[in-house]
Amino acid sequence: MDRREFIKSTALAGAALAVLSKLPAAEAGKEAKEGDKVDLVAVAGGEPAAMLHAALAELGGIEAFVKPGQTVVIKPNIGWNQPPEMAANTNPDLIAALVAECKKAGASKVTIFDYTC
């Protein structure tokens, strides 16, 4: 391969990557319509348990994730010795609400696991 072919190939590859990288971004901004199945929701502003319930409702309920008799492991971010008001860790009220939801869905065992810093 000579210099000219290398530059041409590199330019074509760069152009192809630029075009392909735009395709998923166009879908990312798409609003979900009624009846669409979603796998990611964002909930803000409120108490942790209320926001958890709102998010789970949008995702089809906890039953979409936890089946009766299953063992569930919850891996929150609890690596820092900071109070919930500092937002350095997953809020303990959120974890408690999630454990309660898992048990309500019939989980036989719920374990909370993290490795602190």
Side-chain angles (χ1 to χ4, degrees):
M1 176 183 290
D2 64 8
R3 182 173 168 240
R4 185 176 302 244
E5 286 179 54
F6 174 77
I7 292 172
K8 194 181 342 180
S9 297
T10 304
L12 284 172
L17 285 173
V19 168
L20 291 175
S21 70
K22 297 295 181 193
L23 294 177
E27 289 291 316
K30 186 178 100 175
E31 293 265 340
K33 294 181 182 73
E34 187 70 33
D36 283 354
K37 183 174 178 177
V38 296
D39 57 7
L40 176 69
V41 295
V43 182
E47 293 299 313
M51 291 191 300
L52 172 71
H53 293 118
L56 286 174
E58 289 293 321
L59 293 168
I62 191 73
E63 298 78 16
F65 304 97
V66 179
K67 305 296 183 229
Q70 284 185 324
T71 297
V72 176
V73 177
I74 299 171
K75 196 289 182 198
N77 177 21
I78 53 174
W80 310 104
N81 186 17
Q82 295 293 327
E85 297 78 27
M86 296 295 293
N89 301 304
T90 305
N91 189 300
D93 293 338
L94 176 74
I95 298 168
L98 184 55
V99 169
E101 285 294 313
C102 290
K103 289 185 176 236
K104 190 169 81 175
S108 63
K109 182 177 178 182
V110 180
T111 302
I112 301 168
F113 173 81
D114 199 4
Y115 188 80
T116 59
C117 296

